[in-house]
């Protein structure tokens, strides 16, 4: 009872981390490790509770067998190994005076090793042929648990954790060696030489195209692309599709802009959050490192990725906000942005060639320009240039930012910081689960969490229900294994092995494997659980069958195990390679891992085949071929069936539902309204220090809201990808339009963040603040936007197609600072209107998304 209760609490605790994809796989492994230790391995919960039997051979006949214990215990299993290990100690008890032992009870003396001081009992004696034997029963208890932690020795079956740590050490070492197999640094090179340069080139082309359209509307000469000189290094800049970027005057401008916009959306989706750049922290650098001091490259690549993403977002924003009919001041902003493309192209060239070949004249032209830059394109371009230089310098092992001799430089604070940044991702991986577990405890202890569960429409109630369902399925299988006698003792198939000995062995193993299959088959979404369950079932059946075929083909009595090990290794090598190849993405995405669509089938094919073959090779021998294969398949199908059944039982959690995207859109509206409320309420402040504090508070809130929105977007994306696997299936489909909405919503997460930045600038500047607060038309517009976002009326509002929001003539002879204020306010209002229009577009699109059993839309109320 205590074991089941503790396991239930543990699984419920773990389920909160299992919900998140970032920690989900690792959490599953942790759960599986506990199942292995407590159910599958030895001593498990049953042995600790019931104890072990030790078979002692007291007299050898003329044809003595090697071990009598194999007659009563499973061959080559740990119970038999323990019996053989302790048989000599217990045999010594029989050779001593046994008076007073009418009850067959013996106390092991102090020299009895692990069993010292314990009382053992003879439960059976007899003979097999001419071999006489006695069976002792050694009671279980906490001494076994203590032995699991304290004993050592690779041949000691009780030294579980000692040997388990050795096993994990060898496993991690083997996995680490994979990264040293060529080609090296594939993801790092793909980002720095492929995706990021392509994003820079397409961003430059998009800005140039927009600038050319504005120049053409006013009959001005287009000078955006006249900087190509014969003296410059000739490097073919390529876009996402590997095509050389050209300015074809005959190409349809509208089609070109739409094509570039689609590419920019893909770039934004790839660079979003800098996740790919962070993953390069786990890639080794094997060349040009011996002559330089330690340098962290992943943080520089992430900084560059974030800066490029901001340039991509700005290029999309200025095309929507600044039109051909705008005043000269707005056109100057577009022209200034067109100048920044020279620097962006230089960065793309430098990344593709690996050399920092920047044109100083281009840099000075951009950075020394005094043009008004409300979109902070200059800041983002400078960040791209500096991060590109820093990254290329870090990647070139012949150069370093450190000064002085290598010895003194190695012990400098700069080197210490580089080493600290390099190991930071590894520390995060090893501490993420500890922090996550602690955060779950803290969350469950808060009253606000339980009160917030019933706040409509978005709360953690659905997450709590999923965790309870997940725990219910696991605990049900555990209770069946522990308490249901028929399941506990007869959940097995024995055809060739002795039923009396192996039925209980297979029953225990099958119960543990059923729990493991359930754990891995259950995902966050209903579609994902069903489809992964189908893939796992197919892979398990195929793996079990081919494992059985391999054992039959390679059966050879000339070898001790009864199988030809060379044949088995060859068989596993060929089939595992073919399965892995079939599950691998094609093209560039092969570098990023296996296919998310159907790879679980081949994965579990390989796992099942290996388990079936190794069980027979190491433990059950040729007589167990049929039984091992059948029991392995049946136990997994039971766990998979429970996972699929619970996934289909209401309430269902649909990954193809627009629910998660609606939550992000509502969060965007809530954030926008909160920023506007702070801006409108700042009129009550009087001191300049108060305005500065409010301005900083807005930026802090922006950072918090951005992190929250990025997390929600990651969760929504994980749900959609989980539900989209096995796309060839004719059931439980996902609407591809939801994938597009996820990409568009990612842009607006940064748009609302930019609203906070401009609001902060207005609050901190007296001229900007006075124009926004004292001009009736401006204040009325802000109050109107605030009411729309606060009451979520965007979907009911017609924003129109007029470019201007204020219609204020900024050429009225005002001073430059006033013109700048009017310009900023006009752009601020345009951004709010664009955000309002996008929110409306999101709601309409999400209302038409099809999902669920019937694959139909469900508009929000």
């Amino acid at each position: 009872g205590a074991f089941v209760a503790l396991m239930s609490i543990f699984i419920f605790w773990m389920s909160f981390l299992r919900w998140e994809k970032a920690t989900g796989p690792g959490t599953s492994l942790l759960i599986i490790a506990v199942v292995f230790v407590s159910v599958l391995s030895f001593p498990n919960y049953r042995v600790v509770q019931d104890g072990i039997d030790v078979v002692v051979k007291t007299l050898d006949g003329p044809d003595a067998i090697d071990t009598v214990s194999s007659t009563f215990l499973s061959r080559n299993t740990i119970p038999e190994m323990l019996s053989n290990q302790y048989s000599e100690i217990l045999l010594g008890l029989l050779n001593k005076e046994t008076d007073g032992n009418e009850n067959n009870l013996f106390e092991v003396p102090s020299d009895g090793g692990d069993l010292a001081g314990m009382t053992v009992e003879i439960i059976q004696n007899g003979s097999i042929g001419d071999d006489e034997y006695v069976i002792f029963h050694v009671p279980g208890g906490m001494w076994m648990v203590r032995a699991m932690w304290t004993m050592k020795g690779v041949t000691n079956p009780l030294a579980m954790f000692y040997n388990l740590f050795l096993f994990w050490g060898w496993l991690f070492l083997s996995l680490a060696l994979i990264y040293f197999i060529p080609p090296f640094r594939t993801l790092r090179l793909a980002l720095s030489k492929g995706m990021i340069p392509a994003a820079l080139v397409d961003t430059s082309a998009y800005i140039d195209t927009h600038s050319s359209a504005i120049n053409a509307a006013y009959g001005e000469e287009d000078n955006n692309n006249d900087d190509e000189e014969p003296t410059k290094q000739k490097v073919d800049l390529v876009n996402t599709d590997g095509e050389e970027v050209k300015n074809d005057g005959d190409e349809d401008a509208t089609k070109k802009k739409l094509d570039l916009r689609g590419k920019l959306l893909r770039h934004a989706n790839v660079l979003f959050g800098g996740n790919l750049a962070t993953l390069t922290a786990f890639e080794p650098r094997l060349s040009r490192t011996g002559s330089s001091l330690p340098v962290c490259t992943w943080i520089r690549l992430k900084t560059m990725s974030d800066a490029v993403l901001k340039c991509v977002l700005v290029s999309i924003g200025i095309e929507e906000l600044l039109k051909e009919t705008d005043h000269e001041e707005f056109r100057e902003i577009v022209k200034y942005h067109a100048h920044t493309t020279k620097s962006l192209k230089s960065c793309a060239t430098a990344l593709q060639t690996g050399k920092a070949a920047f044109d100083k004249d281009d840099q000075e032209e951009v950075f020394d320009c005094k043009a008004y830059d409300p979109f902070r394109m200059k800041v983002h371009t400078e960040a791209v240039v500096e991060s590109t230089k820093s990254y290329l310098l870090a990647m070139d092992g012949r150069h370093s930012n450190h000064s002085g001799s290598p010895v003194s430089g190695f012990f400098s604070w700069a080197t210490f910081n580089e080493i600290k940044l390099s190991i930071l991702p590894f520390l995060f991986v090893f501490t993420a689960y500890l922090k996550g577990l602690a955060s779950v405890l803290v969350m469950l202890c808060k009253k606000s969490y339980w009160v917030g569960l019933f706040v409509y429409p978005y709360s953690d109630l659905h997450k709590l229900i999923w965790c309870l369902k997940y725990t219910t399925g696991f605990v049900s299988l555990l209770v069946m294994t522990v308490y249901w006698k028929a399941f506990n003792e007869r959940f097995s198939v024995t055809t060739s092995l002795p039923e009396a000995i192996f039925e209980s062995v297979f029953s225990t193993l099958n119960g543990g494997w059923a729990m493991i299959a359930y754990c891995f088959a259950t995902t966050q979404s209903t579609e994902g659980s069903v489809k992964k369950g189908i893939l796992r079932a197919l892979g398990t059946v195929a793996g079990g069958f081919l494992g059985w075929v391999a054992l039959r083909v390679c059966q050879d009595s000339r070898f001790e195990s009864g199988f030809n090990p060379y044949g088995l290794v060859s068989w596993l090598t060929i089939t595992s390679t073919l399965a892995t190849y079939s599950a691998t993405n094609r093209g560039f995405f092969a570098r990023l891992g296996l296919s998310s669509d159907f790879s679980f089938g081949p994965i579990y094919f390989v796992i099942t085949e290996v388990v079936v073959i190794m069980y027979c090779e190491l433990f059950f021998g040729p007589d167990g071929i049929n039984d091992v294969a059948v029991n392995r398949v049946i136990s997994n199908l039971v766990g998979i069936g429970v996972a699929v059944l619970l996934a289909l039982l209401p309430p269902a959690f649909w990954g193809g539902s627009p629910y998660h995207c609606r939550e992000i859109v509502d969060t965007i509206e809530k954030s926008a309204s909160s920023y506007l409320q702070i801006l409108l309420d700042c009129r009550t402040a009087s001191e300049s220090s108060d305005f500065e504090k409010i301005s900083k508070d807005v930026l802090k809130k922006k950072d918090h809201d951005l992190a929250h929105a990025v997390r929600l977007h990651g969760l929504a994306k994980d749900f959609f990808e989980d539900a989209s696997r096995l796309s060839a299936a004719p059931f439980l489909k996902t609407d591809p339009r939801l994938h597009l909405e996820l990409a568009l919503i990612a842009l607006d997460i940064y748009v609302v963040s930019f609203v906070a930045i401009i609001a902060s600038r207005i609050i901190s500047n007296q001229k900007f603040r006075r124009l926004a607060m004292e001009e009736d038309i401006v204040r009325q517009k802000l109050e109107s936007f605030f009411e729309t976002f606060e009451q979520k009326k965007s979907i009911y509002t017609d924003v129109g197609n007029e470019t201007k929001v204020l219609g204020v003539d900024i050429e009225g002879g005002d001073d430059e600072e006033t013109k700048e204020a009017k310009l900023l306010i006009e752009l601020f209002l345009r951004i709010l209107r664009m955000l309002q229009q996008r929110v409306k577009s999101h709601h309409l699109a999400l209302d038409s998304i099809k999902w669920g059993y019937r694959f139909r839309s469900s508009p929000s109320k």
Side-chain angles (χ1 to χ4, degrees), residues 87 97 197 222 275 372 508 529 533 578 587 608 671 675 686 712 843:
S87 60
E97 184 66 34
D222 183 14
N275 296 326
Y372 184 52
T508 302
S529 295
L578 293 176
T608 303
S671 298
Y675 302 146
S686 57
L712 289 179
H843 281 300

Side-chain angles (χ1 to χ4, degrees), residues 145-453:
V145 179
R146 182 172 62 253
M148 292 165 59
W149 286 96
T150 58
M151 289 187 178
K152 298 180 180 180
V154 293
T155 60
N156 186 350
L158 286 179
M160 175 182 292
F161 288 101
Y162 175 83
N163 292 312
L164 191 62
F165 292 146
L166 291 178
F167 164 76
W168 284 111
W170 280 109
L171 178 62
F172 287 140
L173 178 61
S174 301
L175 294 176
L177 292 177
I178 296 175
Y179 292 100
F180 294 89
I181 300 176
F184 305 122
R185 306 196 306 267
T186 53
L187 182 56
R188 184 185 293 116
L189 291 178
L191 269 174
S192 61
K193 290 185 176 293
M195 288 181 278
I196 289 180
L200 292 171
V201 170
D202 290 335
T203 300
S204 301
Y206 196 61
I207 294 175
D208 287 341
T209 301
H210 183 51
S211 178
S212 299
I214 291 180
N215 291 337
Y218 283 87
E220 298 179 3
E221 184 179 357
D222 183 14
N223 296 319
N224 295 333
N225 300 299
D226 60 354
D227 56 342
E228 298 295 336
E229 297 178 8
T231 57
K232 289 189 178 182
Q233 184 179 13
K234 294 296 183 180
V235 178
D236 293 332
L237 297 181
V238 295
N239 58 18
T240 312
D241 302 323
E243 302 169 347
E244 186 178 353
V245 176
K246 298 179 181 179
N247 291 316
D248 189 352
D250 298 331
E251 185 178 2
D252 182 74
T254 303
K255 181 179 178 181
K256 181 177 180 180
K257 288 178 69 173
L258 290 176
D259 181 58
L260 285 172
R261 180 181 174 84
K263 292 177 181 179
L264 292 179
L265 288 176
R266 292 197 294 270
H267 292 315
N269 192 41
V270 169
L271 301 177
F272 187 80
N275 296 326
L276 289 180
T278 303
L279 290 176
T280 62
F282 303 99
E283 292 186 350
R285 292 184 60 208
L286 301 181
S287 61
R288 293 188 178 182
T289 57
S291 59
S292 65
L293 296 172
V295 179
C296 177
T297 57
W298 76 266
I299 192 68
R300 290 170 169 82
L301 188 58
K302 185 180 186 302
T303 302
M304 180 168 56
S305 175
D306 293 339
V308 173
L309 173 62
K310 292 177 181 179
C311 290
V312 171
L313 298 176
V314 169
S315 67
I316 297 175
I318 61 175
E319 192 276 332
E320 293 189 25
L321 295 172
L322 306 179
K323 303 297 182 180
E324 292 84 349
T325 57
D326 279 325
H327 291 290
E328 176 64 25
E329 284 78 2
F330 291 99
R331 299 201 303 274
E332 288 298 323
I333 296 176
V334 178
K335 292 179 181 179
Y336 172 67
H337 288 177
H339 286 299
T340 63
T341 61
K342 299 177 182 179
S343 297
L344 299 181
K345 292 176 182 177
S346 297
C347 291
T349 301
L351 289 171
Q352 289 178 338
T353 60
K355 299 178 181 179
F358 295 98
D359 192 311
K360 294 183 179 180
D361 294 336
D362 290 345
Q363 306 306 314
E364 293 175 357
E365 182 180 359
V366 174
F367 301 151
D368 295 341
C369 181
K370 303 302 181 182
Y372 184 52
D373 183 23
F375 293 99
R376 307 179 72 184
M377 189 64 177
K378 175 183 176 181
V379 175
H380 302 324
T381 303
E382 286 180 336
V384 171
V385 172
E386 293 302 320
S387 60
T388 300
K389 291 180 179 179
S390 177
Y391 173 76
L392 292 175
L393 184 65
M395 288 299 295
D396 189 351
R398 296 169 298 178
H399 299 82
S400 175
N401 286 326
H402 303 281
S403 59
S405 65
V407 176
S408 61
F410 189 86
F411 294 98
S412 65
W413 281 110
T415 301
F416 173 76
N417 289 329
E418 296 289 339
I419 296 175
K420 180 179 69 174
L421 290 173
S422 297
I423 65 176
L424 192 61
F426 296 90
L427 293 177
F428 174 80
V429 169
F430 287 109
T431 60
Y433 298 107
L434 297 177
K435 294 172 62 177
L437 291 173
S439 65
V440 171
L441 289 179
V442 173
M443 177 190 69
L444 294 177
C445 293
K446 289 183 177 180
K447 180 181 178 181
S448 58
Y449 170 76
W450 299 100
V451 174
L453 291 177

Side-chain angles (χ1 to χ4, degrees), residues 18 244 302 362 493 536 640 690 790 812 823 834:
R18 182 69 179 79
E244 186 178 353
K302 185 180 186 302
D362 290 345
V493 177
R536 169 151 190 161
I640 294 169
D690 296 334
E790 176 70 18
L823 185 64
M834 179 185 71

